[in-house]
Amino acid sequence: MENVLLKKSKMKTHKYMNTMKKYLLLVVTLLFGVMAGYAQDKYSINRNDLPEAAQKFLTDYFPKAKVGMVKTDRHLLKKTDYDVKLVNGTKIEFNNAGKWTSVDCKTREVPEGIIPKSIRTYVKKNFPDVKIVKIKKTTTKYEVELSDDVELTFNLLGQFKSMKMDD
């Protein structure tokens, strides 16, 4: 009799576990579906799709440049960010508030007003014949790329930290 009761108990537990696995799979599937819906990119060529601060940045530092593409990255757990590509090839990344995080002018010089004065001074003094073609700002540092493929790192106060040369 005990064996029959034990078998019935195991069968109920097995059924319960299968049901729970199905529910868990359903929940995970729904969660991924919702995440995919929120994490979609939007493309346009309209400056007005950018936050006001980003629009002002473009007007101040790239007044004559035409926007080739604005990509709006919507993230579920992270705020929205914006990637702008100008017709001349320059790429600019903005955070959710419209503050620049990266400016890549390829072979042209990054506008002087974007670069902190201490970094400009350091580069002019130590690398007089090159120009800054890319700058990236993170929460802890600035990364600067020069036209001769030298990469410099500075802290947020603009103090030199390291140098790396691309091969």
Side-chain angles (χ1 to χ4, degrees):
M1 181 79 170
E2 278 184 37
N3 279 342
V4 172
L5 290 175
L6 188 59
K7 280 185 180 179
K8 284 185 179 181
S9 174
K10 283 184 179 180
M11 286 176 58
K12 283 183 180 178
T13 304
H14 184 68
K15 262 185 167 178
Y16 174 76
M17 292 303 288
N18 279 342
T19 304
M20 290 308 292
K21 285 180 184 177
K22 288 178 185 177
Y23 282 126
L24 182 61
L25 181 62
L26 178 65
V27 168
V28 168
T29 303
L30 288 173
L31 183 63
F32 278 114
V34 169
M35 286 175 59
Y38 279 103
Q40 291 182 355
D41 297 338
K42 176 184 165 194
Y43 295 89
S44 79
I45 58 169
N46 191 348
R47 284 182 186 226
N48 295 331
D49 290 339
L50 295 169
E52 199 170 310
Q55 292 178 41
K56 182 175 178 356
F57 179 89
L58 290 175
T59 301
D60 291 349
Y61 297 107
F62 300 94
K64 295 180 181 175
K66 293 184 180 185
V67 172
M69 178 194 71
V70 174
K71 178 182 173 189
T72 304
D73 291 327
R74 296 193 190 283
H75 307 280
L76 183 63
L77 301 175
K78 187 180 153 193
K79 294 186 177 186
T80 302
D81 56 25
Y82 303 88
D83 298 334
V84 176
K85 187 169 184 179
L86 302 178
V87 173
N88 66 15
T90 298
K91 292 181 183 177
I92 307 164
E93 295 177 10
F94 297 98
N95 65 17
N96 190 50
K99 305 280 187 200
W100 71 271
T101 57
S102 174
V103 178
D104 185 356
C105 293
K106 304 293 180 208
T107 58
R108 287 178 299 287
E109 191 167 11
V110 171
E112 195 172 276
I114 297 171
I115 305 161
K117 186 176 182 188
S118 56
I119 295 174
R120 284 194 321 258
T121 303
Y122 181 88
V123 171
K124 283 180 185 175
K125 179 180 177 189
N126 296 289
F127 302 90
D129 297 329
V130 298
K131 54 190 174 185
I132 297 173
V133 295
K134 181 178 180 179
I135 186 166
K136 181 178 181 178
K137 183 180 181 183
T138 68
T139 56
T140 59
K141 64 186 174 187
Y142 285 98
E143 296 171 1
V144 172
E145 187 176 318
L146 305 178
S147 55
D148 62 354
D149 290 330
V150 171
E151 294 179 16
L152 306 173
T153 303
F154 298 85
N155 66 16
L156 290 179
L157 298 174
Q159 299 165 330
F160 175 77
K161 292 297 172 194
S162 66
M163 177 173 69
K164 180 177 141 187
M165 296 178 139
D166 278 348
D167 294 330

